[in-house]
Amino acid sequence: MFKDIQKKLLLKYPLLWNTKFVPMVAIGLLLHLIFFGLGYLDGTIDFSNRNNLDIEVTCILFGVLLVIIIIILWLINYFKNNSLKSFYSKSKYSLFYEWLQIFVVSALLITFYIPFSVGKQLHQKNYYSLEETTNRCKTIATADMFIDGSFGETQIDSLASGLIDSLGNKVTLNYNPEDANTAAYSTEQESLAVEAVSGYTYKNHIIFNGKKYNQFSLVNRNTFEFTVISREQDSLNKIQIQNWLHQDNQAEVKKLMDNYLSLIREHDLATNLNMDKWFEIVYKAPEFDEFLYIQPYLKQYETDNSYNNYDYATKIGNGERKYSKYFVQQDVLKDKYDMVSEAHTDSFFKIEIILGFLYGAFGLSILIFSFRVTTGKSWLIAVVTTGVINIVYGILTAITGVGDMYAYLILFTILGIMFYFFLIYFNKKNLQLSRIALNLFLWSFIGIIPLIYFLIQEHYLRGEHRYNYNYTSPEYEWMKDHVFHMFCLNFILSILTLFFLSKVIRTWKGISED
């Protein structure tokens, strides 16, 4: 079948025949289908087991090896017939179309991980509908308040922290507390704020609906966070449980515990609790500060933080937590449903990852294309030259200690190579050197815009450091927020540049062998 197709392509579409485009696209699609199936298999969730089937690393390594073998076999057959050594193509943009075919094949081959991740996420997403997943996650998240949930942070004691005086008047501070929230503490004021805020004293209680509760009571416990539940809804769920406790609504608490234990039984997870016993050991109204800590795992799996204490854990914090003899595999349940939750909320295709693969395919296709339009000797010399240039520039940058020097040297070198190539092109002299220059030109022109962009961004960043207060340059912030858009635009402009450059290469007299 493929032989008949190749014969027809040879007669009607010699360029498609020469690149082996049709069989390579078929192989690429088959590769995607295989890895989609492997990803779907890897997405299997064993809710009753601590460990899931994990073949991702094995599949990636296998895929990389397989792609390398396919590319080698493809290039052997592709380089057998170089039309550029025998005749000039009729179309002035035929070289661009040839590169485009190489790019498509390269993209299909190196993006095998994308269908793998899609298959994995699709399988995990299909376990339960979004509504069912949300309801189950809500049960698990809120039940954590009665198992091993963390405690919420209490309010700052303004008097003990020196923020107000004994009369309730605000004290003038020599720092801005908001500076403690900055990402980088580079100024003296920011460091002072961080040190001061870290020394604040917090109250040992909370006030809920006008009643005081100990900071280590059930009322101040947090729910577990799932991505399928928004922050706002998560807060509402916590308030709902707090209201049940505050109003002594035992029926709703027992219903929640029963629903949770139903999930434990459904997935054959281990526990030595039943609903009545669970309620008895944790529900200590009205203060809710004397209760047993439920061990959220099996001891044979986790023992480092496990303790055997049968007394009530009264008024102790997270760092002093002691577990009772009762346990439930909450850690397994949270882990498995967290996977399902993320499968529902994560997008199948992450545009940043796809763009990265496109740049990878562009780089691979340019390497193949440059070998195709020049010679193996000039290609290898260009590779060595690239390595030498980077080593020399790296040493110079290390000696001078100027951080931006390497980027400037690379940028001016790329511009110099471009100028030198077009100088030879118009003068039609020194063809061997022009082949080396062409290779270097093709490999590096895509980096011009990113280099200029980041050098300008670095200029604005240095401008910020001239100030001794928290100042952010609006130009720097704008450029930092639009890095992704720059790379998208750069990719499009690189393809357009190659479109026009292909005509220059076609008419380049040194492209034919002497």
Side-chain angles (χ1 to χ4, degrees):
M1 178 181 174
F2 276 122
K3 288 185 177 180
D4 294 336
I5 294 175
Q6 286 295 89
K7 287 181 180 179
K8 292 180 180 178
L9 291 176
L10 176 59
L11 296 174
K12 295 184 179 181
Y13 306 101
L15 186 58
L16 291 174
W17 169 84
N18 194 31
T19 58
K20 307 297 184 288
F21 183 74
V22 174
M24 289 308 299
V25 167
I27 291 173
L29 293 176
L30 179 62
L31 190 68
H32 277 229
L33 183 62
I34 292 172
F35 275 88
F36 176 83
L38 291 172
Y40 196 85
L41 179 64
D42 190 54
T44 303
I45 299 177
D46 186 351
F47 288 89
S48 62
N49 196 318
R50 186 172 175 79
N51 298 314
N52 293 318
L53 176 68
D54 188 3
I55 59 173
E56 182 170 345
V57 175
T58 303
C59 288
I60 292 174
L61 293 176
F62 170 73
V64 171
L65 179 61
L66 184 61
V67 166
I68 291 175
I69 294 173
I70 293 174
I71 289 177
I72 292 174
L73 295 176
W74 169 46
L75 294 181
I76 290 174
N77 288 276
Y78 175 36
F79 290 149
K80 282 181 180 178
N81 305 285
N82 192 341
S83 60
L84 298 171
K85 294 182 179 180
S86 306
F87 58 89
Y88 285 103
S89 305
K90 293 180 180 179
S91 171
K92 61 182 180 179
Y93 295 116
S94 60
L95 278 180
F96 175 77
Y97 300 142
E98 183 169 355
W99 168 82
L100 192 59
Q101 292 171 34
I102 299 172
F103 171 76
V104 171
V105 172
S106 300
L108 282 174
L109 291 179
I110 71 171
T111 55
F112 65 87
Y113 180 74
I114 293 179
F116 181 90
S117 62
V118 170
K120 180 177 181 177
Q121 183 177 343
L122 182 64
H123 192 180
Q124 294 175 341
K125 182 178 180 179
N126 286 340
Y127 274 98
Y128 303 104
S129 66
L130 177 61
E131 181 180 2
E132 180 68 13
T133 300
T134 303
N135 291 334
R136 287 171 176 249
C137 287
K138 178 182 177 181
T139 299
I140 298 168
T142 51
D144 204 42
M145 292 182 68
F146 301 96
I147 301 174
D148 193 45
S150 61
F151 292 99
E153 190 177 78
T154 59
Q155 292 181 340
I156 296 174
D157 189 331
S158 299
L159 180 61
S161 300
L163 299 178
I164 60 174
D165 58 24
S166 58
L167 300 178
N169 300 315
K170 291 184 66 175
V171 175
T172 303
L173 305 175
N174 60 347
Y175 63 91
N176 181 7
E178 295 296 325
D179 287 343
N181 298 323
T182 57
Y185 312 121
S186 56
T187 66
E188 182 180 350
Q189 288 80 4
E190 291 171 356
S191 300
L192 182 62
V194 172
E195 183 178 355
V197 170
S198 63
Y200 282 170
T201 301
Y202 291 82
K203 295 179 180 179
N204 61 358
H205 64 273
I206 64 168
I207 303 296
F208 183 78
N209 284 350
K211 182 177 179 179
K212 180 188 292 186
Y213 292 96
N214 186 278
Q215 62 176 327
F216 299 124
S217 70
L218 288 181
V219 180
N220 194 36
R221 264 189 166 174
N222 295 318
T223 59
F224 186 76
E225 294 184 358
F226 288 100
T227 58
V228 78
I229 302 175
S230 66
R231 290 290 183 89
E232 293 78 10
Q233 186 59 49
D234 190 60
S235 298
L236 292 175
N237 292 340
K238 179 179 178 180
I239 293 173
Q240 182 182 49
I241 304 299
Q242 290 174 323
N243 276 317
W244 291 349
L245 297 175
H246 180 73
Q247 298 167 6
D248 196 20
N249 193 337
Q250 300 183 20
E252 289 295 337
V253 174
K254 288 182 178 181
K255 182 179 178 181
L256 171 63
M257 291 180 173
D258 188 54
N259 290 338
Y260 177 83
L261 291 175
S262 296
L263 292 178
I264 293 292
R265 291 189 295 268
E266 177 184 339
H267 298 304
D268 295 322
L269 294 173
T271 183
N272 58 357
L273 286 171
N274 56 47
M275 191 267 291
D276 292 330
K277 190 63 180 178
W278 187 8
F279 184 83
E280 175 189 340
I281 63 178
V282 300
Y283 196 91
K284 300 296 178 180
E287 301 301 327
F288 300 103
D289 58 355
E290 294 185 350
F291 52 87
L292 285 183
Y293 285 81
I294 310 300
Q295 185 172 263
Y297 43 71
L298 285 178
K299 288 185 179 180
Q300 54 261 44
Y301 290 147
E302 304 275 357
T303 58
D304 291 343
N305 298 319
S306 185
Y307 301 92
N308 218 8
N309 187 326
Y310 303 115
D311 299 324
Y312 285 119
T314 307
K315 296 182 176 63
I316 60 174
N318 290 330
E320 306 168 348
R321 182 172 302 174
K322 292 182 175 67
Y323 290 115
S324 68
K325 65 181 180 180
Y326 299 101
F327 66 88
V328 62
Q329 284 189 285
Q330 167 77 333
D331 62 333
V332 177
L333 200 62
K334 289 193 292 189
D335 180 58
K336 306 304 181 180
Y337 275 92
D338 199 36
M339 295 180 185
V340 181
S341 173
E342 290 179 352
H344 276 283
T345 55
D346 291 349
S347 60
F348 280 112
F349 302 100
K350 297 177 178 61
I351 190 64
E352 295 85 0
I353 295 178
I354 293 177
L355 183 63
F357 277 118
L358 290 177
Y359 267 91
F362 186 92
L364 177 60
S365 63
I366 283 294
L367 287 174
I368 297 172
F369 180 71
S370 62
F371 186 91
R372 181 71 163 173
V373 299
T374 58
T375 63
K377 180 181 178 180
S378 61
W379 193 88
L380 288 174
I381 293 174
V383 170
V384 174
T385 303
T386 301
V388 171
I389 288 174
N390 281 276
I391 292 173
V392 172
Y393 287 174
I395 293 174
L396 288 174
T397 303
I399 293 174
T400 59
V402 180
D404 297 339
M405 184 177 180
Y406 179 83
Y408 278 110
L409 289 174
I410 290 294
L411 177 60
F412 288 127
T413 300
I414 295 173
L415 296 176
I417 290 170
M418 293 172 58
F419 175 78
Y420 180 72
F421 171 76
F422 283 108
L423 183 65
I424 295 176
Y425 170 75
F426 289 116
N427 292 332
K428 301 177 183 178
K429 294 179 181 180
N430 207 340
L431 302 181
Q432 181 59 35
L433 289 178
S434 67
R435 294 189 183 100
I436 300 173
L438 177 59
N439 277 298
L440 296 173
F441 180 15
L442 288 172
W443 299 347
S444 58
F445 77 90
I446 194 173
I448 294 176
I449 293 178
L451 278 172
I452 295 175
Y453 190 91
F454 286 118
L455 285 172
I456 296 174
Q457 185 179 1
E458 184 66 19
H459 167 75
Y460 285 118
L461 179 62
R462 287 200 308 271
E464 293 181 29
H465 295 162
R466 300 187 189 126
Y467 303 96
N468 291 323
Y469 53 89
N470 186 24
Y471 171 78
T472 302
S473 165
E475 295 86 357
Y476 172 79
E477 287 295 324
W478 185 91
M479 296 187 75
K480 187 175 70 172
D481 294 338
H482 291 82
V483 170
F484 173 75
H485 302 93
M486 178 275 293
F487 276 111
C488 291
L489 180 62
N490 180 60
F491 186 78
I492 296 172
L493 292 178
S494 297
I495 294 177
L496 293 176
T497 300
L498 199 58
F499 177 77
F500 294 107
L501 187 60
S502 64
K503 181 182 177 182
V504 174
I505 297 175
R506 177 182 176 273
T507 57
W508 174 47
K509 300 302 181 183
I511 200 171
S512 60
E513 295 290 338
D514 294 330

